[in-house]
Every structure is written in structure tokens, then in C-alpha cells.
């Protein structure tokens, strides 16, 4: 009999089952969980994918880390935020999920662990399990802004080999700050851990001035910054991400050499998308601007609506595509999400889905079209206060 290694997601299933039942009845649902930019009426330039038709793509010249011109294009693109990156340190992957898998293979023996923020991206549970790596959560605490408890991190078990930061984090929207990075890097050096920085949302600052980005380019410790087309230009379907490797030269070069063997075993990124990358990054900046505008408008509307509900609280959103609203804990988060779906046909994520330790939080995507978003938020909060 099949016995899988993935943990079950019983709680999420109650909501998915209710959703599937409503969809089967043809009910129209307002999906405030949708973080797929290609679903949310973001304007994409008509010619955005034209460069995928380059006939150079008829030739196959495999390179473990990707075509030199594509890696150079990624390195050049980092200058938008002022980061100077040597193309030799850019590794192309088909997604950040794949980059995680390669890094877990690179850094951990089976059964060793990585530290993962909580609340954060729920897929970490699966990504670590699939690579036979233990996931040790570390807490992010909210005191008007989300902060990392570095002392708790320093007390981590001996099997840990790396610490993950997501900056800005999904769904809390918090960027790591200078002081946290300095202290975290010191712990990493002392414990000989690598630092994996998921910066897929780094291009989407909101309530923050001068956010810290491009962690691997700072070379403070062996580090890997992950990002990609999926968020940077709103094209998840093209399957192209990157990992920038940084750190003290000896450690960094040893990591690159080992990573090359892993990458060479998969050669997963298609040639047409690599050839198209310089044009995609160039023309795609228009999509990024449209997404930036969308999340700003929706966050402003969310602030305005929440002000009308004194028992609710919009947590500070420094960046990214999600926002978190604290609502009165009159029932469990799961029940609230189920009732909201049943009564109002509005789908939201309950906080526990992302590992919020306390009730009651609702997580919404900032991507839906503004008219849909604003009216659904008002109905959501009226219902949540009822
Ligand atoms: C924190 C975080 N990292 C990575 C990803 C996925 O990126 P990719 O499409 O490159 O795998 C997501 C998707 O929502 C995310 O929230």
C-alpha cells in the first residue's frame, strides 16, 4: 500500500472541501486568497512573450547554471536595487521551490535540519519533508512590527545546517532589518550555518522606508538569495527562478562547485525562456509596476475599511502581496473562514494555515481587482464582527 512521506493537512481540507462543494453547485466565490497575478486582471503587455519565439532556441547547449547571457541579465537586473552581483554567482532554476530542494541537498544530510520562520509560507513543510530534512520553526513576534527572536534561533538543535529568512515574509509582509541581519549573520558564522534568504517579494515594498534586500550580495556569511520571474515580473508560468550565492570567497566557491554538480544532474530550465530572459526582465518591469500599483491601492483601501471596525486591526504590512487582519476571536479561525465562505461566498485564509500561533487572524491577498477587493473586505469585516 502507498504510504507517503508528506504530512496531512486536515484543517485546510475542511475549507477546501466546502469550497469544492460550492463550486460544484456553480456558486460564484470571491477569492481573497488568490495570489496568482495571471488571475487578477493585471494588465500584461501583448508582446511580453514575443521573445520566447527566438529561433536560437532550436539549439540545445546545456549549462548547469544556465546560459551565460541569461545569468548576466539576472545580475544586471539586481542593479535596480543597487546590488552588484557577479554573473558567476547566479544559478538559474525552474522555480524557488526547486532552488530550495537543491540547497537542502547541498547543505543537509538526510535527517539534518533547517530553521524556518513561523508564521510563513506553508509549503516549507512539504519542501523540507520531500528532501528528508527536518524543519525547526522559529517564531516571528508581532509588536507593532514583526521581529525575529534571534536568541531563540541561537538555541536551535545541533542538527541545524541553515536558517531560512523570507524577506518580505509571506504572509506577514515583514522585511528583515539591519540589526536582525547583523545578529543572525553572527550566529550563522558561529554555528557554521548557511543563510537562505527568500526574497521573491523584495520588489514590492509597502509600509517601509529603505527596505533591506539582496542579502547574498552582502557576503556577510555563506548565503543564498532566491527570487524569480514568478513574482518579480508576475510570470509564474514561465518557470524561471534564480539563486544568488554569496559569502566569504572560500565557502562561496566550494558551495558553487557542489551546486554545479546538483544543477548538472537536473538541467531543468528550458532554453527558450533563458534566451528570452533579458527581454522578459525589461518589458516585464511594466507588469511589476502594475502589480505595485495594485497592492498599494488595495492596502490603502484595506486601511480605510478596517478603520471603520475598531475591534479589528490591520497588522503592519511592510511589503509583499498579502495582508493580515486581526479579528475578534468569537469563534475559531477555521469556523470563521468556513462561515464566511458559506454565508458570504468569500474565501480567505485562516491564520493557522500559515502557522499563526494565536487566533484570530485572516490573511488576504492584495492582488484582486480593487472594486472586488474593497467590497469583499467590507463584507468580510462586517461578518467577522457579527
Ligand atoms: C515565500 C515564497 N517563496 C517562494 C514562492 C514560490 O515561488 P516560485 O514560483 O518561484 O516557486 C512563494 C509563492 O507564493 C512564496 O510565497
Amino acid at each position: 500500500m502507498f504510504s507517503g512521506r508528506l504530512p496531512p493537512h486536515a484543517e485546510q481540507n475542511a475549507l477546501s472541501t466546502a469550497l469544492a462543494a460550492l463550486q460544484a453547485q456553480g456558486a460564484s466565490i470571491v477569492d481573497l486568497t488568490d495570489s496568482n497575478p495571471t488571475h487578477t486582471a493585471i494588465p500584461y503587455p501583448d508582446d511580453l512573450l514575443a521573445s520566447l519565439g527566438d529561433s536560437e532556441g532550436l539549439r540545445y547547449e546545456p549549462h548547469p547554471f544556465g546560459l551565460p547571457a541569461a545569468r548576466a541579465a539576472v545580475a544586471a537586473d539586481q542593479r535596480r536595487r543597487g546590488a552588484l552581483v557577479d554573473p558567476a554567482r547566479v544559478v538559474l532554476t525552474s522555480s524557488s521551490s526547486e532552488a530550495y530542494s537543491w540547497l537542502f541537498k547541498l547543505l543537509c544530510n538526510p535527517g539534518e535540519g533547517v530553521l524556518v520562520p513561523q508564521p510563513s509560507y506553508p509549503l516549507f513543510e512539504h519542501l523540507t519533508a520531500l528532501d528528508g530534512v527536518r524543519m525547526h520553526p522559529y517564531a516571528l513576534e508581532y509588536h507593532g512590527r514583526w521581529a525575529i527572536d534571534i536568541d531563540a534561533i541561537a538555541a536551535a538543535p545541533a542538527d541545524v545546517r541553515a536558517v531560512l529568512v523570507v524577506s518580505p515574509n509571506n504572509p506577514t509582509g515583514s522585511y528583515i532589518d539591519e540589526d536582525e541581519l547583523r545578529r543572525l549573520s553572527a550566529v550563522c558564522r558561529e554555528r557554521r550555518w548557511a543563510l537562505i534568504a527568500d526574497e521573491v517579494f523584495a520588489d514590492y515594498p509597502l509600509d517601509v522606508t529603505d527596505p533591506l534586500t539582496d542579502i547574498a550580495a552582502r557576503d556577510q556569511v555563506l548565503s543564498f538569495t532566491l527570487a524569480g520571474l514568478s513574482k518579480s515580473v508576475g510570470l509564474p508560468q514561465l518557470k524561471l527562478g534564480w539563486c544568488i550565492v554569496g559569502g566569504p570567497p572560500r565557502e562561496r566557491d566550494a558551495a558553487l562547485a557542489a551546486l554545479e554538480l546538483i544543477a548538472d544532474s537536473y538541467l531543468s530550465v528550458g532554453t527558450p525562456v533563458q534566451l528570452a530572459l533579458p527581454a522578459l526582465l525589461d518589458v516585464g518591469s511594466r507588469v511589476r509596476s502594475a502589480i505595485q500599483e495594485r497592492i498599494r491601492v488595495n492596502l490603502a483601501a484595506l486601511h480605510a475599511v478596517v478603520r471603520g471596525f475598531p475591534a479589528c486591526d490591520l497588522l503592519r504590512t511592510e511589503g509583499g502581496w498579502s495582508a493580515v487582519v486581526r479579528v475578534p476571536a468569537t469563534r475559531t479561525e477555521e469556523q470563521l473562514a468556513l462561515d464566511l465562505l458559506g454565508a458570504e461566498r468569500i474565501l480567505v485564509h485562516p491564520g493557522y494555515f500559515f502557522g499563526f500561533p494565536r487566533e484570530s487572524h485572516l490573511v488576504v491577498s492584495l492582488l484582486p481587482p480593487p472594486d472586488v477587493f474593497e467590497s469583499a473586505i467590507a463584507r468580510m469585516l462586517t461578518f467577522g464582527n457579527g
Side-chain angles (χ1 to χ4, degrees):
M1 200 182 105
F2 171 74
S3 113
R5 67 199 295 180
L6 288 181
H9 268 291
E11 311 93 315
Q12 181 61 7
N13 281 345
L15 200 52
S16 340
T17 308
L19 176 64
L22 282 172
Q23 283 169 332
Q25 293 162 20
S28 145
I29 313 283
V30 180
D31 187 355
L32 291 185
T33 69
D34 201 347
S35 57
N36 177 341
T38 69
H39 285 177
T40 51
I42 297 287
Y44 283 84
D46 287 339
D47 59 348
L48 182 56
L49 301 186
S51 49
L52 286 170
D54 188 336
S55 60
E56 270 296 302
L58 291 169
R59 278 168 63 80
Y60 183 41
E61 299 287 352
H63 290 269
F65 287 161
L67 295 175
R71 297 167 69 198
V74 171
D77 191 53
Q78 309 311 301
R79 297 226 182 113
R80 281 187 295 110
R81 294 182 305 271
L84 291 180
V85 170
D86 178 349
R89 302 207 217 158
V90 175
V91 176
L92 300 187
T93 63
S94 63
S95 64
S96 5
S97 291
E98 183 176 64
Y100 277 116
S101 176
W102 291 4
L103 293 177
F104 295 154
K105 295 179 207 318
L106 173 78
L107 300 168
C108 302
N109 290 310
E112 292 179 339
V114 293
L115 285 160
V116 172
Q118 197 174 38
S120 193
Y121 186 37
L123 205 64
F124 289 142
E125 192 177 355
H126 291 244
L127 294 175
T128 49
L130 283 167
D131 267 294
V133 166
R134 272 179 220 275
M135 177 178 107
H136 300 291
Y138 68 87
L140 302 180
E141 297 281 354
Y142 188 74
H143 308 286
R145 82 169 286 273
W146 291 94
I148 301 176
D149 183 348
I150 309 274
D151 294 333
I153 286 186
D159 68 44
V160 167
R161 295 290 169 263
V163 56
L164 265 69
V165 296
V166 183
S167 183
N169 187 31
N170 173 16
T172 62
S174 43
Y175 284 86
I176 189 170
D177 69 16
E178 292 281 353
D179 182 54
E180 287 170 328
L181 181 60
R182 186 182 47 73
R183 294 178 61 208
L184 190 56
S185 299
V187 177
C188 286
R189 273 192 297 272
E190 192 190 319
R191 304 283 299 266
R192 305 186 61 77
W193 295 340
L195 180 58
I196 302 177
D198 182 329
E199 301 188 53
V200 298
F201 292 110
D203 284 316
Y204 299 97
L206 288 162
D207 185 6
V208 66
T209 36
D210 201 13
L212 186 161
T213 62
D214 301 283
I215 290 169
R218 294 167 177 246
D219 288 331
Q220 290 178 356
V221 65
L222 178 63
S223 41
F224 305 87
T225 282
L226 312 186
L229 291 184
S230 160
K231 308 293 186 277
S232 159
V233 296
L235 291 172
Q237 71 276 41
L238 293 195
K239 307 310 297 175
L240 193 142
W242 48 87
C243 169
I244 293 169
V245 184
R250 271 190 36 207
E251 285 175 67
R252 183 191 68 212
D253 292 344
L256 278 164
L259 206 46
E260 185 163 8
L261 182 71
I262 299 172
D264 200 22
S265 306
Y266 289 86
L267 295 171
S268 53
V269 190
T271 299
V273 72
Q274 294 187 58
L275 290 171
L277 191 56
L280 289 169
L281 290 170
D282 180 26
V283 186
S285 63
R286 285 189 259 157
V287 181
R288 179 164 53 244
S289 302
I291 296 176
Q292 252 156 3
E293 176 64 12
R294 172 70 58 84
I295 60 175
R296 278 182 194 287
V297 166
N298 280 345
L299 186 63
L302 186 54
H303 270 292
V305 175
V306 170
R307 270 196 289 276
F309 294 87
C312 298
D313 195 11
L314 171 58
L315 305 196
R316 182 165 163 195
T317 311
E318 292 179 344
W321 294 0
S322 297
V324 181
V325 183
R326 196 157 42 202
V327 295
T330 50
R331 57 196 119 180
T332 65
E333 280 173 348
E334 177 176 40
Q335 199 55 52
L336 177 55
L338 282 166
D339 292 348
L340 194 56
L341 182 62
E344 297 287 334
R345 304 284 194 261
I346 294 173
L347 181 67
V348 296
H349 279 309
Y352 71 78
F353 179 56
F354 295 90
F356 280 76
R358 279 177 292 280
E359 308 243 332
S360 231
H361 298 92
L362 297 179
V363 176
V364 295
S365 163
L366 293 171
L367 288 189
D371 51 334
V372 175
F373 180 81
E374 192 172 347
S375 69
I377 289 292
R379 281 164 52 216
M380 174 185 99
L381 292 182
T382 305
F383 187 85
N385 276 265

